Each structure stands twice: as structure tokens, then as C-alpha cells.
Amino acid sequence: ETGVTQTPRHLVMGMTNKKSLKCEQHLGHNAMYWYKQSAKKPLELMFVYNFKEQTENNSVPSRFSPECPNSSHLFLHLHTLQPEDSALYLCASSQLGQGRVGSGNTIYFGEGSWLTVV
Amino acid sequence: AQKITQTQPGMFVQEKEAVTLDCTYDTSDQSYGLFWYKQPSSGEMIFLIYQGSYDEQNATEGRYSLNFQKARKSANLVISASQLGDSAMYFCAMREGYSSASKIIFGSGTRLSIRP
């Protein structure tokens, strides 16, 4: 139990569907992240939210639309995906702030959502 | 340029033996943090251990220890007395700098398999 909960754990969707991934953190952190992990590829950072404001978008296609209504919840809305978007999507949270990097900046992950696009 | 390098794509180790997973990093920042994560086949990414750039002693957490050699920019993970449940992917990661926007960068991972 890491304090970061993701739903659903598994999702199969067609290319014309619209679905959403949900993430909730109970750690009191101020930053949340979406990562994508494809087979045989390094972990790719997709989006970063700091105090609900998006601070990073790593050239992610617009068919992925993040939403962060508050610092505890993060969504990833999915529409008209492609089969190559099939991957493990990991949500994470951490505490960010000015000053020296410390153990308090550790990033904690949820269990991931396995997405298959057919 | 690769910031985090893990040169061992896969390793096989006999149960109860110690194992060292290599990680080298590249940064010009004075303040940075190094992390190791374990990812079993279920997919969750489990935080194992943290080492700060200013920490003078190597970090330890139970059977995990981090062999931190700052001048060589290496942060190898040592697992003592390996167990079957240690079979998983292991990722080295780094966070740089003072900025509140600093992000964590991951290596490509090492797949560790423990033989009974």
C-alpha cells in the first residue's frame, strides 16, 4: 500500500472509445505525475502537475488529456487511441519544493493501469 | 545524452547470494537525489532506497544498500541474501536540482532473476 491508488487496473478499449484513468493520492503531496511504460522501453514521463497546475507536457499527443481538479486527484482522459498506445500507465506523486533535494522528494507510484487498445 | 545508465539488461543469481545492480549517472548539479525502485511482474513500482548527493554515508534499508561513489558518479544497489521474491525489474532514478519543477529520470532497468 503506497498511498497512491489507480483505477481501473486493467482496461481494454476500442480505438473509437472514450475512457478515463483515475488516480488518487493520500500522502498529502503537492505534485502528481503520469508515466507511460511500453514493452522494452524506458519509463516515459507524460505530464506533471504541481499544485494543480500543469508544469510539464512531454510532447504527448492530444488524444491523451490530463485533468487535475485538486492536488489529490489526477485523471487521464483517453479518446481515439491507437494500438501503439497500449501500455502500462503509472500515476505517481511526490512533494516538491525549493531547496536541496532530499528523501522527502521521493516519488511514490500507484499499481498502474494496464491499457490495451484494440 | 543518457543521464542514467544501467548496463545490465538482465542478471541471474543463485538464491541467498548477494547481488550488485549497476547504475551510473550524469549531472552537473550539486544537489541531486538517487533512487532505486523494484517492479515485479504485476507492474507496481516499489520504492526501495534513497541516497542524497550530500549524504556522507551509504544508504541502507534492510537487505538493500546503496554503494554511492560520488566521484565516479555511480550508485549501485546491493541486495544481500537474495530471495526468490527479489525477482523483478529494478530501476535506478535521479532527481536533480533545487527547482520545484525538477523531475525524476529513470534508467532502462535491469531484470533480476533469482534461481532456487
Side-chain angles (χ1 to χ4, degrees), chain A residues 79-99:
Chain A
H79 59 100
T80 58
L81 295 191
Q82 306 297 312
E84 59 265 28
D85 297 322
S86 298
L88 176 66
Y89 289 84
L90 288 159
C91 174
S93 73
S94 76
Q95 189 65 21
L96 288 180
Q98 299 295 340

Side-chain angles (χ1 to χ4, degrees), chain A residues 25 27-33 47-56 67-74 92-98 105, chain B residues 95 98-102:
Chain A
Q25 59 99 358
L27 300 169
H29 290 160
N30 59 10
M32 295 188 77
Y33 311 76
F47 302 104
V48 181
Y49 277 82
N50 190 352
F51 289 109
K52 304 186 297 176
E53 300 296 323
Q54 188 180 120
T55 57
E56 184 127 3
E67 179 191 359
C68 188
N70 54 61
S71 56
S72 299
H73 293 85
L74 184 65
S93 73
S94 76
Q95 189 65 21
L96 288 180
Q98 299 295 340
N105 301 132
Chain B
R95 166 165 272 152
Y98 295 96
S99 168
S100 61
S102 66

Side-chain angles (χ1 to χ4, degrees), chain A residues 1-109:
Chain A
E1 186 67 44
T2 65
V4 181
T5 305
Q6 285 187 243
T7 55
R9 292 295 318 280
H10 299 270
L11 177 62
V12 179
M13 59 185 289
M15 288 189 283
T16 58
N17 291 160
K18 286 185 181 181
K19 296 284 184 183
S20 296
L21 305 180
K22 179 184 174 184
C23 178
E24 184 175 357
Q25 59 99 358
H26 309 277
L27 300 169
H29 290 160
N30 59 10
M32 295 188 77
Y33 311 76
W34 279 116
Y35 282 86
K36 175 183 177 182
Q37 188 178 29
S38 306
K40 299 181 181 178
K41 281 189 179 180
L43 216 59
E44 300 171 59
L45 178 64
M46 299 175 73
F47 302 104
V48 181
Y49 277 82
N50 190 352
F51 289 109
K52 304 186 297 176
E53 300 296 323
Q54 188 180 120
T55 57
E56 184 127 3
N57 176 340
N58 269 352
S59 304
V60 180
S62 59
R63 57 186 184 270
F64 294 92
S65 174
E67 179 191 359
C68 188
N70 54 61
S71 56
S72 299
H73 293 85
L74 184 65
F75 296 89
L76 188 62
H77 303 300
L78 316 168
H79 59 100
T80 58
L81 295 191
Q82 306 297 312
E84 59 265 28
D85 297 322
S86 298
L88 176 66
Y89 289 84
L90 288 159
C91 174
S93 73
S94 76
Q95 189 65 21
L96 288 180
Q98 299 295 340
R100 183 182 293 186
V101 177
S103 59
N105 301 132
T106 298
I107 190 167
Y108 292 94
F109 287 85

Side-chain angles (χ1 to χ4, degrees), chain B residues 12-116:
Chain B
F12 287 88
V13 172
Q14 203 67 33
E15 190 181 8
K16 299 180 185 177
E17 288 184 353
V19 56
T20 298
L21 305 181
D22 295 340
C23 173
T24 58
Y25 59 91
D26 182 28
T27 181
S28 56
D29 283 0
Q30 296 302 308
S31 174
Y32 53 90
L34 297 156
F35 307 81
W36 275 93
Y37 289 85
K38 172 186 178 182
Q39 188 179 40
S41 57
S42 58
E44 61 191 302
M45 194 77 83
I46 303 166
F47 166 68
L48 295 178
I49 196 167
Y50 166 83
Q51 179 83 43
S53 59
Y54 291 103
D55 295 339
E56 294 186 352
Q57 293 196 337
N58 287 344
T60 60
E61 288 286 348
R63 292 186 301 113
Y64 304 108
S65 61
L66 205 152
N67 184 359
F68 181 46
Q69 297 187 41
K70 194 169 181 177
R72 296 180 60 187
K73 294 189 176 177
S74 75
N76 298 340
L77 177 71
V78 180
I79 306 175
S80 63
S82 57
Q83 302 172 355
L84 296 177
D86 294 333
S87 295
M89 282 290 289
Y90 288 81
F91 293 93
C92 179
M94 176 175 67
R95 166 165 272 152
E96 301 177 282
Y98 295 96
S99 168
S100 61
S102 66
K103 58 189 178 186
I104 192 163
I105 306 161
F106 285 81
S108 55
T110 295
R111 182 170 297 282
L112 177 63
S113 300
I114 308 298
R115 291 194 182 110

